[in-house]
């Protein structure tokens, strides 16, 4: 699939748009979702330009899932979680809204999840949660 380098996450990766970051290395970025489905909703993205999981280089996918696990463990510790939903939407037909592959870590239950990317979260609260997650990493 053709990659649009003007998509929101590509712009966040280039620091053209702000994000509340919790983890970054040379291959992966993790940051807070701006319209969280639950408190602590975090996104993990590879830096390589891929629209969906199906387009992502397998070695980048393998590395990204290691960071997904690392961030999930920090979230579990920092926010005292009993469960986390790992969600990955590939394709607009699946509900994907941002065309840069990403993994959602949502402190919730599959039974609670509704529509996403609907309502802006409270910036101050999101920053507080991010600080806790960062401290646990
Ligand atoms: P998708 O629907 O593509 O699986 O998920 C995209 C996610 O990105 C949604 O959960 C949405 O709330 C989040 N999102 C959309 N725009 C922004 C933004 O500008 N900044 C951040 N941090 N998250 C965003």
């Amino acid at each position: 699939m053709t990659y649009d380098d003007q998509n929101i996450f590509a712009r966040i990766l280039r620091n053209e748009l702000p994000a509340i970051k919790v983890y970054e290395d040379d291959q992966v970025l993790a940051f807070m979702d701006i319209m969280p489905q639950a408190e602590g909703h975090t996104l993990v993205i590879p830096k390589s330009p891929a629209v969906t999981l199906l387009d992502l280089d397998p070695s980048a996918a393998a590395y990204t899932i290691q960071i997904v696990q690392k961030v999930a463990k920090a979230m579990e510790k920092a926010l005292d979680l009993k469960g986390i939903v790992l969600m990955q939407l590939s394709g607009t037909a699946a509900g994907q809204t941002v065309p840069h592959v990403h993994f959602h870590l949502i402190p919730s239950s599959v039974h609670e999840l509704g529509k996403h990317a609907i309502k802006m979260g409270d910036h101050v609260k999101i920053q507080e949660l991010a600080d806790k997650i960062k401290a646990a990493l």
Side-chain angles (χ1 to χ4, degrees):
M1 200 176 287
T2 310
Y3 184 79
D4 170 13
D5 68 4
Q6 291 306 313
N7 77 74
I8 295 167
F9 293 173
R11 298 191 64 202
I12 286 175
L13 283 172
R14 293 194 297 268
N15 289 312
E16 293 170 7
L17 292 173
I20 300 176
K21 299 177 182 180
V22 294
Y23 175 88
E24 183 163 19
D25 65 25
D26 59 335
Q27 297 178 60
V28 169
L29 174 68
F31 56 103
M32 306 306 286
D33 196 296
I34 207 169
M35 290 173 271
Q37 288 189 59
E39 282 192 359
H41 184 164
T42 304
L43 301 169
V44 183
I45 67 174
K47 292 190 171 179
S48 41
V51 180
T52 75
L53 181 62
L54 285 65
D55 305 318
L56 185 60
D57 176 79
S59 62
Y63 182 71
T64 304
I65 204 72
Q66 289 180 45
I67 303 304
V68 166
Q69 185 190 50
K70 183 184 176 79
V71 174
K73 284 182 178 176
M75 288 170 63
E76 180 190 44
K77 187 171 160 202
L79 309 180
D80 192 25
L81 303 179
K82 302 289 174 264
I84 302 175
V85 176
L86 169 60
M87 183 171 84
Q88 202 293 309
L89 307 179
S90 278
T92 50
Q96 182 179 3
T97 56
V98 178
H100 179 110
V101 59
H102 49 279
F103 296 84
H104 297 256
L105 285 168
I106 311 174
S108 187
S109 156
V110 70
H111 306 294
E112 301 293 328
L113 294 184
K115 285 191 187 282
H116 72 291
I118 296 285
K119 190 167 171 280
M120 291 296 276
D122 178 280
H123 189 83
V124 173
K125 181 74 193 164
I126 293 173
Q127 182 69 61
E128 279 173 18
L129 293 158
D131 290 344
K132 284 187 186 174
I133 296 168
K134 260 192 287 187
L137 270 163

